[in-house]
Amino acid sequence: MDSAAPKGPGHVAVIMDGNGRWAQKRGRPRLFGHQAGARRVREIVAACPDLGVKYLTIFAFSTENWKRTQAEVSGLMSLFRRYIEREARTLFERGVRVRFIGDRMKLDEKLVRLMDELELLTADNDLIHLTVALNYGGRDEVARATKRLAREVAAGRIDPEDVDAETLARFLDTYVLPDPDLVIRTSGEARISNFLLWQSAYSEYEFIETLWPDFTAAEFAKLVAAFQQRERRFGAVVS
Ligand code: IPE
Ligand code: IPE
Ligand code: MG
């Protein structure tokens, strides 16, 4: 790519929404929609290298999603377990490095073990960095980060006078990741529902009508192309 070429979104974050409505339209249970949604992920991950997307972050379960029925929550948790078991090898072979963000404390032991194993298995991969937000909430993440930072201050290892935005960012779950350039939300809802609050301060947003189980690599490619036409100013005046 020559230097004059438009810059693509190196990091795309996706709020995968609309699984329930997709199922409902077909007269099927919500879990059927979640299964269909999980199947889309493989295609979107596979599309990343050609689109110049090195980092893909997907919202799989929020800290608020525990409010759903016990049947839906446990169905989702077993879907996550099965998904990791089934996809681990393919992800590894395709050069995907997988990370999880969110609070693992509330997740069941078996799932956490699978998450740890997948992170370890793919730790040396570098083609695509896939981050899965699971029991993730932006406010919860900032609160957990603040707690850890406060401990460092209390222990005398950080001077409160030295604390700035960059200091706090080092304690977030995403400390190794660049900020998302583009955040996509499917299903027509124009809200961020507690996703990457801190990190998306200057992200570009796309709210699209497509329900997540209908989202294709072709539509993804269109959004990436549209991103390249946007002018990002980051608060400055561009001459
Ligand atoms: C997104 O789809 C997946 C999760 C939140 C786990 P939804 O389940 O929110 O689907 P809708 O929004 O009810 O259609
Ligand atoms: C956001 O979707 C969470 C995920 C996609 C995992 P929700 O469906 O939970 O968000 P709200 O309730 O419509 O805001
Ligand atoms: Mg939803």
Side-chain angles (χ1 to χ4, degrees):
M1 210 190 257
D2 67 80
S3 58
K7 204 170 160 0
H11 184 178
V12 179
V14 186
I15 301 173
M16 309 185 290
D17 197 15
N19 295 347
R21 279 162 284 170
W22 186 90
Q24 196 176 23
K25 277 193 354 193
R26 287 159 180 77
R28 303 295 299 268
R30 296 179 58 83
L31 222 32
F32 181 70
H34 294 314
Q35 285 157 357
R39 283 196 295 273
R40 302 295 343 165
V41 174
R42 193 192 268 219
E43 177 184 335
I44 301 309
V45 172
C48 285
D50 283 348
L51 297 174
V53 175
K54 183 137 183 118
Y55 292 85
L56 178 72
T57 299
I58 56 177
F59 203 4
F61 192 88
S62 78
T63 47
E64 287 71 42
N65 287 147
W66 299 104
K67 295 176 192 163
R68 298 185 178 199
T69 64
Q70 210 248 314
E72 182 170 352
V73 170
S74 64
L76 278 164
M77 293 301 151
S78 69
L79 177 63
F80 297 145
R81 285 196 300 271
R82 271 182 287 128
Y83 188 84
I84 295 174
E85 283 171 337
R86 221 176 28 223
E87 294 294 311
R89 200 184 160 76
T90 309
L91 289 163
F92 170 69
E93 286 170 354
R94 294 194 176 168
V96 182
R97 176 164 187 176
V98 183
R99 294 184 180 89
F100 293 91
I101 56 171
D103 187 358
R104 297 179 196 206
M105 301 299 274
K106 263 183 96 175
L107 300 172
D108 82 53
E109 235 173 85
K110 169 106 193 286
L111 176 57
V112 174
R113 189 160 47 74
L114 289 166
M115 289 159 63
D116 289 341
E117 284 169 4
L118 184 56
E119 286 186 331
L120 199 64
L121 174 72
T122 61
D124 293 328
N125 282 346
D126 187 41
L127 183 65
I128 308 166
H129 292 248
L130 173 67
T131 302
V132 183
L134 218 168
N135 192 25
Y136 175 86
R139 288 183 172 179
D140 178 68
E141 180 192 31
V142 171
R144 285 186 289 104
T146 305
K147 187 187 283 188
R148 290 201 296 273
L149 172 56
R151 283 199 197 110
E152 292 302 295
V153 169
R157 288 190 285 268
I158 292 179
D159 182 342
E161 294 310 314
D162 293 338
V163 175
D164 57 14
E166 200 266 319
T167 317
L168 184 58
R170 284 207 310 270
F171 289 85
L172 295 172
D173 297 349
T174 53
Y175 67 102
V176 291
L177 305 174
D179 287 341
D181 298 297
L182 173 64
V183 178
I184 298 168
R185 183 176 187 142
T186 57
S187 91
E189 312 293 357
R191 56 176 172 262
I192 60 177
S193 302
N194 208 5
F195 189 45
L196 301 177
L197 295 180
W198 174 282
Q199 299 85 344
S200 63
Y202 266 102
S203 302
E204 300 292 326
Y205 275 89
E206 285 280 7
F207 296 104
I208 58 164
E209 294 298 321
T210 310
L211 302 175
W212 173 254
D214 292 327
F215 188 68
T216 59
E219 190 166 15
F220 186 37
K222 262 191 227 158
L223 297 175
V224 167
F227 171 91
Q228 293 170 346
Q229 304 307 313
R230 291 180 176 210
E231 182 186 74
R232 302 177 80 189
R233 291 189 284 275
F234 300 100
V237 175
V238 176
S239 56

